Amino acid sequence: QVQLVESGGGLVQPGGSLRLSCAASGSMLSINAMGWYRQAPGKERELVADITSGGSTNYADSVKGRFTISRDNAKNTVYLQMNSLKPEDTAVYYCNADIRLDTIYEYDYWGQGTQVTVSS
């Protein structure tokens, strides 16, 4: 069974940095796009950044220049380096991956979420 396990969330002061990690495990043929989403209280889940298997990236306007997404295909892991954090970045961050299980089945998987709180 495929699982996505996130780590790296926590409490940080404004202007600080955090690095999130998300590792995919289980039986799979390949991983296509991977990404990070976030959901703040009372708001809808939104895309933060995503990255293709070839390394092309896409960012929400609100995080451009502050966040960097990367991946290690050998480790089936995606990272989100978050710098210059602001209180409005506070949310639960979810990892997402488009995973091909075999030649027929391809599914969208989500991690359990990790809390990021930016506060003084």
Side-chain angles (χ1 to χ4, degrees), residues 36-54:
W36 291 93
Y37 289 71
R38 67 186 181 188
Q39 187 167 19
K43 295 187 177 181
E44 293 187 353
R45 190 173 296 189
E46 62 176 1
L47 174 69
V48 176
D50 59 22
I51 183 168
T52 67
S53 58

Side-chain angles (χ1 to χ4, degrees):
Q1 183 176 356
V2 172
Q3 289 187 340
L4 299 182
V5 179
E6 299 144 343
S7 59
L11 172 64
V12 64
Q13 292 186 343
S17 297
L18 281 175
R19 188 191 195 210
L20 305 182
S21 299
C22 171
S25 63
S27 178
M28 66 191 81
L29 191 61
S30 62
I31 303 177
N32 301 319
M34 302 183 81
W36 291 93
Y37 289 71
R38 67 186 181 188
Q39 187 167 19
K43 295 187 177 181
E44 293 187 353
R45 190 173 296 189
E46 62 176 1
L47 174 69
V48 176
D50 59 22
I51 183 168
T52 67
S53 58
S56 296
T57 58
N58 175 52
Y59 295 92
D61 288 342
S62 59
V63 306
K64 283 181 181 176
R66 300 188 298 123
F67 291 10
T68 302
I69 189 170
S70 61
R71 65 190 282 175
D72 184 334
N73 291 331
K75 296 181 179 180
N76 292 334
T77 299
V78 63
Y79 306 96
L80 186 67
Q81 177 66 44
M82 304 185 293
N83 298 328
S84 302
L85 282 160
K86 304 175 181 179
E88 50 264 43
D89 295 317
T90 296
V92 178
Y93 283 69
Y94 296 92
C95 173
N96 173 265
D98 177 21
I99 297 176
R100 177 164 293 281
L101 302 183
D102 51 37
T103 56
I104 298 174
Y105 297 104
E106 182 175 332
Y107 294 109
D108 211 35
Y109 289 87
W110 292 90
Q112 79 283 1
T114 185
Q115 177 69 47
V116 171
T117 302
V118 184
S119 175
S120 55

